[in-house]
Amino acid sequence: MAVNNSYQAVDGESSMRLIGPRVIIVQVLIAIFLYINFLLILTFSKKDFLHTNMRYIFFANTLLSDSLFLILTDVVLILSYFGIPMQMWLCLLLYIALSVNTFVTPLTLTAMTLERYVAICMPLRHGELCTPHFALCSILILHAISYVPGSVIISNFIATASSHVYTQAKVCSVEMFILHKWQGHVRSAVHQSYFLFMSSTIAFCYIKIMKVATNASGENKKSLRKGVQTVVLHAFQLLLSLAQLWCPFIESAVLQIDFVLFVNVRYFNYIAFILSPRCLSPLIYGLRDEKFFLALKYYALFGLYRNNSPGFVR
């Protein structure tokens, strides 16, 4: 709790004066990302053939999760910026929702990479394994797995916190739930376990796909090259998302040194490891896919853009 108390102690004007313009920039970026995500979700809902493709079902799941995550993190940012307190039980519910959506995107990216692995390395079984029904079941499983880290932290908090804590009003922060040093170690162990699992899966898929791509030739080689590029982009996006798991530990250490440095580090982490990974999804599946891009362009220009190519849906 020392970290949380230190953060709340520097209240009011000084912190607002330091980060005021940055918060405005973040609001603009979030508005842009949410608008793009809305267009992509609209495009997905309008194109029936996307509903039968496992990749795009996973993609839609990341869009919905990212949009909710951006909204929730923005709410926490605004409340912290103005120093608006909330009761502990409400902060607890907010933290659970944030924790789930923190892990949904990297886990879904891992599942999308596995789908590419099956498509390239096991093409004869792709149609059998990568069905819309299996995709929906996988999404439910991914959400259940995403719930585990937050539930572990909350369970430890409930087991050690006194009953009157839930009615206290404080500025909401994840550090509020770390009452003892060992709880921080548990959170670190859980996050690192997820980090190891997802990074190992990505590395395995990349190596296997590269082996197949090296032995391919002709048109098949061109198609595989695009698959390799997609996996590389997933790996980069996943790396940024996983780096987010380390941010609280870095910020806690920096806060013990200097608050101004802490503000700068937290702002950088938010832009680099929270906003950036969530703007790569539109790049990977929104702009690199020709039909998806044409539909996105149509909706982005409010219907002023016209395209008569087959399969384009208005």
Side-chain angles (χ1 to χ4, degrees):
M1 290 295 289
V3 173
N4 191 43
N5 292 336
S6 300
Y7 178 66
Q8 293 182 39
V10 187
D11 190 25
E13 298 181 32
S14 61
S15 60
M16 292 174 62
R17 186 166 56 246
L18 286 169
I19 65 176
R22 297 178 179 182
V23 173
I24 296 175
I25 294 174
V26 168
Q27 299 308 303
V28 173
L29 292 175
I30 289 178
I32 294 173
F33 293 154
L34 287 177
Y35 176 65
I36 294 174
N37 284 357
F38 169 76
L39 292 177
L40 290 169
I41 293 171
L42 178 64
T43 303
F44 176 82
S45 66
K46 293 288 186 180
K47 282 182 168 280
D48 293 336
F49 81 91
L50 296 177
H51 303 165
T52 60
N53 190 309
M54 189 180 197
R55 278 187 299 158
Y56 291 109
I57 294 174
F58 281 153
F59 176 49
N61 181 56
T62 62
L63 290 175
L64 291 172
S65 176
D66 287 347
S67 298
L68 179 59
F69 182 82
L70 290 175
I71 292 171
L72 291 176
T73 55
D74 194 39
V75 169
V76 173
L77 175 67
I78 295 299
L79 292 176
S80 300
Y81 174 66
F82 288 106
I84 300 175
M86 67 170 64
Q87 289 192 338
M88 181 71 78
W89 66 268
L90 183 58
C91 181
L92 187 148
L93 295 177
L94 185 60
Y95 170 73
I96 292 176
L98 275 170
S99 178
V100 171
N101 286 281
T102 295
F103 286 92
V104 165
T105 292
L107 284 171
T108 305
L109 288 173
T110 304
M112 293 170 79
T113 303
L114 284 171
E115 185 275 335
R116 286 293 81 201
Y117 163 74
V118 173
I120 294 173
C121 301
M122 307 167 60
L124 297 180
R125 300 203 61 190
H126 184 263
E128 173 189 351
L129 297 175
C130 301
T131 63
H133 175 73
F134 187 72
L136 295 176
C137 292
S138 299
I139 288 173
L140 291 177
I141 294 173
L142 292 174
H143 278 78
I145 297 175
S146 300
Y147 178 76
V148 173
S151 65
V152 170
I153 295 173
I154 294 303
S155 297
N156 290 334
F157 171 75
I158 293 175
T160 56
S162 56
S163 57
H164 74 277
V165 170
Y166 301 103
T167 58
Q168 293 180 353
K170 296 181 180 179
V171 177
C172 189
S173 170
V174 64
E175 286 82 13
M176 295 170 62
F177 306 110
I178 308 298
L179 301 178
H180 304 282
K181 191 173 183 179
W182 65 266
Q183 292 174 323
H185 295 326
V186 171
R187 180 177 68 162
S188 175
V190 172
H191 285 196
Q192 290 183 49
S193 298
Y194 275 67
F195 181 94
L196 180 62
F197 167 74
M198 288 184 279
S199 57
S200 299
T201 303
I202 288 287
F204 168 80
C205 293
Y206 177 75
I207 292 172
K208 291 294 185 180
I209 290 174
M210 282 299 297
K211 288 181 178 179
V212 175
T214 302
N215 298 326
S217 59
E219 288 297 322
N220 193 33
K221 189 176 183 67
K222 182 179 180 182
S223 176
L224 285 173
R225 188 183 300 116
K226 187 174 182 179
V228 171
Q229 291 173 354
T230 300
V231 173
V232 171
L233 286 173
H234 278 324
F236 180 66
Q237 186 180 13
L238 184 60
L239 177 64
L240 293 177
S241 297
L242 293 178
Q244 176 190 341
L245 303 180
W246 295 87
C247 290
F249 310 113
I250 298 173
E251 293 167 4
S252 297
V254 171
L255 182 56
Q256 304 298 329
I257 302 173
D258 182 71
F259 180 78
V260 175
L261 180 60
F262 163 77
V263 171
N264 293 331
V265 170
R266 172 165 282 191
Y267 177 75
F268 172 80
N269 288 342
Y270 189 82
I271 297 295
F273 304 123
I274 295 181
L275 292 185
S276 297
R278 287 159 177 82
C279 74
L280 287 177
S281 289
L283 172 64
I284 296 173
Y285 280 107
L287 302 181
R288 295 178 70 242
D289 184 278
E290 183 179 358
K291 292 182 178 180
F292 216 130
F293 176 70
L294 292 176
L296 176 62
K297 190 174 181 180
Y298 174 80
Y299 294 119
L301 297 177
F302 304 101
L304 298 178
Y305 174 76
R306 292 290 187 270
N307 186 283
N308 297 319
S309 62
F312 179 74
V313 179
R314 293 185 173 84

